[in-house]
Amino acid sequence: MDQAAKIVEILGELAEVAARPGAYATDWKARTGRKVIGILPMNFPAEIVHAAGALPVTVQEDDAPITYGRRLLHEFYCGYTRSLVDQAATGRLAPYDGIFLVDHCVALLGAADAIRFELPDMPVFLAQFTASMDETTTRPQILGRIAELRERLEELCGAPIEDQAIRRSIGAYNRNRSLLRRVYELRRSGLIRLTSRQMQVLVKSAMVMDVDEHSARMDRLLALLEAQPAAPSSLVRLHLSGHFCHAPKPELLDMIESCGATVVDDDIYTGYRYISTDVPEGSDPVAALAGWYFNRNTNVPCSTRAQMTVDWESYLANALEKSGAQGVIVLVAKFCEPHMLYYPELRKEFVRRGIPHLLIETEHEGLALEMLKTRVEALIEVIRRPALSREMA
Amino acid sequence: MSAITEHANSGQPPARTAPLANRLVSTRAGGEMIKNYWDNLFTARERGATVVWYNGAAINPILQAAGVEWCHGEAFGARLAAMHLERPAQQAGEAYGYINELCSYARTTLGCALLTKKEAVDRVEIDGSPNIPDKEVLAARLPPPDLFVNAYAGCSTGQQWDEISYRVFDRKLPLFKVSYPLLWGNKSDAGYLRGEEWDNASKYVAGQIYNLIEFLEHQTGNKFHWEGLRESMHYIKRAAQLRLDALELCKAKPAPAVFWDWVASIAPINFLPGNQALVDYFQGVKTEIEQRLQDGVSALPNERYRLAFDGIMNWNKVGWLANKFAERDAAVVCGRYTHNSFWHEPHLIDEDDPILGMAQHYLLCPFNHSAKNLAEQVLRDCETYGIDGIVFHATRTCRSATNGQLLLARMAQEKGIQTMFFEGDVADESFYKDEVLQSRLEAMLETIDVQRTRAA
């Protein structure tokens, strides 16, 4: 088998896991006899679940149409939360032994409550992390919440979680993140040409798989990718921004790239946002997990947090400079309030800096891709014709 | 031709119909108090006052004792919507880039911020908003803030929107945020006003209120007036108790006052200064209700159904909705927003040491509960007030008000209480669907009739 075929094979395996997390979780349970914990985005420290001997799986939006979930959550909630409750109402959360979350998004909390109502025997545990990062009371509160998580997981998994186990888990997850970040570096520098669909597979599968299994595949994949000749491209270089909590549909990503663009970087949740930040190693592991919570918002600011000292727009401007991206497509999941609130601040900065940009709202039910394609093509055209671009800015 | 069709064909607004509900007269005094409050606030700059913009819980007694003047963002948004003057602010927000599915309170208030800033410095990044009057429009009359305090329970958007207010004002003004845990109930002892979670959350919020006081002292240079706080909380506690007593009187059948009367009394209890005037207002409301009971006067001439209202208010449509229900002899007797909010557990307030009780009330925001907690309160009220059905306002842009509603409806149905949903919004009337309300209300009332016939 040649190298390209081996790359395709690994990506295919990971794509299968990303597409069917429940099947992977069921199989993993059968293999290990241990528990699987569904975790909800975006700030959950998966390491603590792993240290308990369980498999943390970030519950994904799935493609099924929302049917029975409609009796649990109104239609004006984001696609992710509606999909979550529909999964609960139709038995698709059965592989999970519990659902855990730390985020305070109002829609996510509504969905978690609906899951608890629908599945009264399923442990649904909220350890709400304070989202305002500026106050002195926040860090002690986060430490307390992680302690609660630890206690509840110990109860659920039936064994104490030792500090040393958390340290080992932190090491395993840091290594996995660094492998994924290496792929991002190679993509930014133009040394490899993975599509956005493929990049999404890498990160989504990392959210589902046992971390060591995933890292083993990433080791093999990286060795193969690095042995490939460089792949220079004359396509327009784009940055994808936003799309919290769940993955944009792969067909949208395909369409964007079919318009003569290559995506060189992103800050979406099922992308760089997820892998941006390591947990400090070697110190008190609980304090380290709390530190990670703060650090990742400094590294890749998120409008779901409230922090006066960081700016998403400044981060984006720097990211574009580093990657050489020529424009930004902002992907907003419909009804995502923190993103809707912050978007004008991003737009102001794009306009100020003359960065071509496009806003696309995504929906669970699908998108009018042909209509969107016209808009993406217009953006590409604007970037290719700098004079017009300046005029638009 | 129906009135609605006529209106649709003529393009003219429908003629106002005479109020069918016999609304309380005493609440008119509250309207005057509120108007005076805002008129006074509009002159804060000229008077050299320090102005705090805040959102969320009723921290006004803290601000009062800190010697500053306070502008409650949502309250102003609600006022604009109730006066049908919200569009200029919302247009400013749209031009700035806000999508209309975003919380309409936030859109309105941020639009006010943009207009206020435009008034103040005449430079704001709006892409040419059409038809926004610049000098006279009410939305632009707020005094620019000196600092922000966010104290929003039960809604992540509430906190994030002040983070944006801070950015709209160029990230130069101090901002303090009070954070609240949702009263979720991980443990079996958790419930309304009870359990370890409640105790811990109360202490956590109280600690932040002390920090807020330090912040205000630091920012204003004013020594915090603790005696002033105790005094205002004394009055607020008395006013709150009078309000509760008056609510209690409405258990009577037919009800002497209804939900719409209580909606008119939200603003006074929510953000007016704690003083004798506040106590007098609620004493007046209670006295009028007592008088009605003595005289056999009811809120509706022919009360046939007793309903509860769940969700946040549809501020554009208060009078309209009051009539809609009244014309079908449906008395909306209680509501989550009116009965489970706004200093509604005054026994928690220790007048000598009020911070903990205040923190607890902030946590008791009616949207800061799990569905289980909500059911405990709402179903209790249904029993207390003899409710036949619950009307759920599916508030399009307010996820905090709609969280748990569908679950609550199912729990109510299990108790034999009828339920219906109608669609609308807190401050954006474009989401209101009159036909949906009409047909679903009629269907629910018919079901109640059938239920009664079967029980007879």
Side-chain angles (χ1 to χ4, degrees):
Chain A
M1 191 186 284
D2 67 13
Q3 288 189 333
K6 285 179 185 165
I7 291 172
V8 170
E9 184 185 63
I10 296 170
L11 287 169
E13 287 169 10
L14 296 177
E16 179 66 19
V17 173
R20 276 181 276 281
Y24 176 83
T26 303
D27 176 63
W28 186 90
K29 270 168 86 163
R31 279 191 281 136
T32 63
R34 304 206 304 258
K35 294 198 185 296
V36 175
I37 303 298
I39 59 179
L40 303 186
M42 290 192 296
N43 289 283
F44 197 96
E47 290 85 346
I48 193 97
V49 175
H50 183 262
L55 176 70
V57 175
T58 305
V59 183
Q60 303 288 321
E61 180 196 36
D62 69 15
D63 287 338
I66 289 155
T67 54
Y68 293 102
R70 288 176 191 273
R71 65 189 177 146
L72 296 169
L73 217 53
H74 288 291
E75 68 197 24
F76 42 82
Y77 281 61
C78 70
Y80 178 64
T81 50
R82 287 188 299 128
S83 173
L84 276 182
V85 299
D86 195 67
Q87 291 178 49
T90 54
R92 298 185 334 260
L93 295 184
Y96 304 106
D97 296 296
I99 299 289
F100 279 54
L101 71 158
V102 299
D103 277 62
H104 78 144
C105 166
V106 64
L108 193 70
L109 292 176
D113 210 9
I115 293 171
R116 186 166 61 164
F117 178 83
E118 187 69 10
L119 305 174
D121 296 329
M122 167 87 77
V124 181
F125 190 83
L126 168 67
Q128 187 181 333
F129 283 7
T130 294
S132 176
M133 317 300 259
D134 298 313
E135 281 69 35
T136 54
T137 47
T138 301
R139 194 175 291 265
Q141 196 264 2
I142 303 300
L143 288 169
R145 293 303 202 192
I146 296 173
E148 288 170 20
L149 275 180
R150 184 178 187 165
E151 192 184 322
R152 186 69 186 96
L153 284 163
E154 286 174 342
E155 278 169 27
L156 195 62
C157 298
I161 303 172
E162 305 295 343
D163 278 0
Q164 195 51 36
I166 306 177
R167 285 194 194 94
R168 278 198 299 274
S169 299
I170 287 171
Y173 275 85
N174 280 350
R175 188 171 119 68
N176 187 254
R177 281 185 283 255
S178 75
L179 291 168
L180 286 160
R181 285 199 302 271
R182 175 69 185 142
V183 179
Y184 266 83
E185 282 163 26
L186 292 171
R187 184 169 72 148
R188 277 189 208 110
S189 55
L191 294 173
I192 58 168
R193 287 269 303 278
L194 288 181
T195 64
S196 293
R197 177 188 279 264
Q198 290 168 328
M199 294 299 286
Q200 185 184 96
V201 160
L202 297 185
V203 179
K204 269 180 76 173
S205 58
M207 294 172 163
V208 174
M209 280 179 88
D210 173 85
V211 66
D212 292 327
E213 278 182 38
H214 193 265
S215 291
R217 281 176 175 74
M218 287 303 301
D219 280 332
R220 281 170 48 212
L221 181 67
L222 264 172
L224 291 164
L225 290 172
E226 287 178 327
Q228 295 278 299
S233 161
S234 59
L235 298 171
V236 166
R237 295 166 67 82
L238 291 181
H239 180 110
L240 291 187
S241 178
H243 222 273
F244 297 152
C245 292
H246 66 294
K249 293 194 183 302
E251 52 268 32
L252 171 65
L253 304 177
D254 295 343
M255 180 275 284
I256 290 169
E257 288 174 331
S258 76
C259 295
T262 182
V263 174
V264 292
D265 201 2
D266 68 64
D267 59 76
I268 61 180
Y269 176 62
T270 48
Y272 191 70
R273 186 177 294 283
Y274 182 72
I275 58 165
S276 69
T277 306
D278 286 340
V279 181
E281 291 188 49
S283 57
D284 170 358
V286 171
L289 291 175
W292 169 79
Y293 173 65
F294 286 89
N295 293 344
R296 68 199 296 266
N297 200 55
T298 310
N299 288 348
V300 185
C302 180
S303 61
T304 64
R305 305 298 100 182
Q307 184 170 0
M308 291 185 284
T309 50
V310 298
D311 293 310
W312 190 4
E313 59 270 36
S314 307
Y315 162 80
L316 266 173
N318 289 335
L320 260 65
E321 209 165 290
K322 282 184 196 158
S323 69
Q326 297 158 282
V328 180
I329 295 184
V330 177
L331 300 175
V332 177
K334 189 163 184 177
F335 303 118
C336 178
E337 298 220 78
H339 206 168
M340 287 192 286
L341 266 174
Y342 210 98
Y343 171 69
E345 304 305 309
L346 300 180
R347 191 185 74 147
K348 220 165 44 176
E349 188 69 3
F350 294 151
V351 170
R352 194 177 74 77
R353 290 177 183 258
I355 298 169
H357 60 278
L358 176 66
L359 170 72
I360 295 179
E361 257 190 314
T362 70
E363 295 189 54
H364 175 82
E365 285 74 14
L367 297 164
L369 283 178
E370 278 306 311
M371 289 167 72
L372 286 175
K373 190 170 182 182
T374 308
R375 294 171 60 201
V376 176
E377 285 169 344
L379 174 74
I380 303 294
E381 193 62 23
V382 165
I383 294 169
R384 285 200 174 123
R385 297 171 62 188
L388 183 57
S389 172
R390 276 197 298 279
E391 197 179 307
M392 280 189 74
Chain B
M1 185 185 285
S2 75
I4 290 169
T5 319
E6 240 176 298
H7 160 48
N9 291 346
S10 70
Q12 297 297 314
R16 279 182 181 276
T17 51
L20 299 169
N22 181 17
R23 304 281 292 270
L24 292 177
V25 175
S26 53
T27 56
R28 289 179 197 160
E32 193 59 28
M33 289 161 79
I34 297 298
K35 181 182 181 302
N36 292 341
Y37 166 83
W38 287 112
D39 286 346
N40 183 54
L41 184 67
F42 295 151
T43 66
R45 281 292 178 202
E46 289 88 312
R47 291 182 283 105
T50 299
V51 176
V52 176
W53 282 21
Y54 74 111
N55 275 313
I59 56 163
N60 50 298
I62 303 283
L63 302 173
Q64 187 180 341
V68 299
E69 300 207 11
W70 57 94
C71 170
H72 191 246
E74 300 140 278
F76 193 64
R79 180 168 178 78
L80 289 176
M83 297 169 80
H84 303 285
L85 292 173
E86 75 283 13
R87 277 307 292 156
Q90 290 178 4
Q91 280 181 311
E94 280 167 28
Y96 191 64
Y98 297 119
I99 297 169
N100 75 337
E101 295 290 355
L102 177 64
C103 163
S104 56
Y105 262 161
R107 275 188 284 133
T108 308
T109 312
L110 286 165
C112 290
L114 291 163
L115 294 172
T116 296
K117 190 179 165 197
K118 187 180 181 193
E119 284 288 297
V121 293
D122 200 33
R123 60 173 187 84
V124 67
E125 297 81 352
I126 299 178
D127 297 347
S129 246
N131 307 321
I132 295 181
D134 56 356
K135 293 286 180 194
E136 301 301 321
V137 71
L138 186 60
R141 288 191 66 197
L142 289 180
D146 294 295
L147 51 146
F148 298 103
V149 176
N150 182 274
Y152 221 111
C155 180
S156 48
T157 302
Q159 186 175 75
Q160 289 148 3
W161 121 39
D162 269 339
E163 192 73 19
I164 299 298
S165 306
Y166 161 77
R167 285 160 204 272
V168 165
F169 281 92
D170 303 319
R171 289 174 282 189
K172 288 178 182 158
L173 302 178
L175 161 62
F176 187 92
K177 287 158 281 182
V178 182
S179 297
Y180 304 90
L182 176 74
L183 298 174
W184 167 261
N186 279 318
K187 295 193 175 171
S188 56
D189 69 344
Y192 184 66
L193 303 184
R194 64 180 185 275
E196 184 186 348
E197 178 185 285
W198 165 247
D199 293 338
N200 289 342
S202 302
K203 286 176 205 152
Y204 174 54
V205 176
Q208 292 178 76
I209 302 299
Y210 284 110
N211 291 350
L212 168 62
I213 289 167
E214 277 179 29
F215 166 85
L216 291 167
E217 283 186 324
H218 176 73
Q219 294 297 336
T220 62
N222 300 339
K223 185 92 182 125
F224 190 74
H225 190 200
W226 281 99
E227 200 44 52
L229 177 68
R230 290 184 194 103
E231 189 180 319
S232 66
M233 288 314 298
H234 163 76
Y235 288 118
I236 285 171
K237 184 173 179 175
R238 283 182 59 201
Q241 189 57 54
L242 287 165
R243 192 177 79 103
L244 285 189
D245 295 345
L247 290 171
E248 178 87 1
L249 294 172
C250 296
K251 288 196 299 191
K253 296 181 182 179
V258 287
F259 176 77
W260 318 106
D261 296 305
W262 302 118
V263 167
S265 290
I266 286 175
I269 196 69
N270 186 31
F271 63 86
L272 286 188
N275 55 26
Q276 186 59 46
L278 187 69
V279 174
D280 292 345
Y281 170 77
F282 283 102
Q283 182 61 64
V285 171
K286 186 185 168 200
T287 302
E288 186 182 2
I289 291 173
E290 285 168 335
Q291 191 61 50
R292 281 187 170 199
L293 285 171
Q294 271 182 30
D295 299 345
V297 174
S298 58
L300 264 59
N302 181 28
E303 176 185 303
R304 288 177 59 208
Y305 310 97
R306 290 170 73 86
L307 306 180
F309 188 99
D310 187 83
I312 202 162
M313 203 45 233
N314 186 321
W315 288 108
N316 307 98
K317 298 286 178 197
V318 178
W320 178 268
L321 290 172
N323 279 348
K324 279 272 166 199
F325 286 88
E327 65 192 27
R328 283 160 184 79
D329 301 326
V332 182
V333 183
C334 63
R336 176 166 28 138
Y337 196 52
T338 46
H339 287 53
N340 295 302
S341 190
F342 308 114
W343 307 112
H344 62 297
E345 300 285 1
H347 68 279
L348 294 173
I349 298 166
D350 176 347
E351 289 180 34
D352 295 326
D353 187 11
I355 297 294
L356 182 64
M358 295 171 78
Q360 290 177 320
H361 274 95
Y362 303 156
L363 275 166
L364 290 177
C365 162
F367 309 122
N368 195 42
H369 300 279
S370 67
K372 191 176 153 218
N373 258 9
L374 281 182
E376 190 177 332
Q377 299 165 68
V378 172
L379 299 183
R380 177 202 60 202
D381 285 350
C382 286
E383 201 173 326
T384 304
Y385 290 95
I387 296 301
D388 303 304
I390 305 177
V391 178
F392 289 92
H393 178 207
T395 321
R396 175 79 180 200
T397 70
C398 184
R399 261 58 69 169
S400 74
T402 52
N403 266 352
Q405 279 188 330
L406 289 157
L407 316 183
L408 195 49
R410 284 168 63 181
M411 289 188 256
Q413 288 157 14
E414 282 170 16
K415 300 266 180 198
I417 300 167
Q418 298 303 316
T419 63
M420 61 160 277
F421 283 83
F422 78 98
E423 293 163 39
D425 193 39
V426 60
D428 185 340
E429 64 183 334
S430 67
F431 291 115
Y432 175 71
K433 296 184 175 70
D434 194 55
E435 281 299 320
V436 170
L437 170 66
Q438 200 144 296
S439 56
R440 291 185 185 167
L441 179 59
E442 280 167 10
M444 184 174 79
L445 298 180
E446 279 177 23
T447 310
I448 292 169
D449 286 337
V450 171
Q451 203 174 24
R452 286 174 177 170
T453 308
R454 283 185 183 156

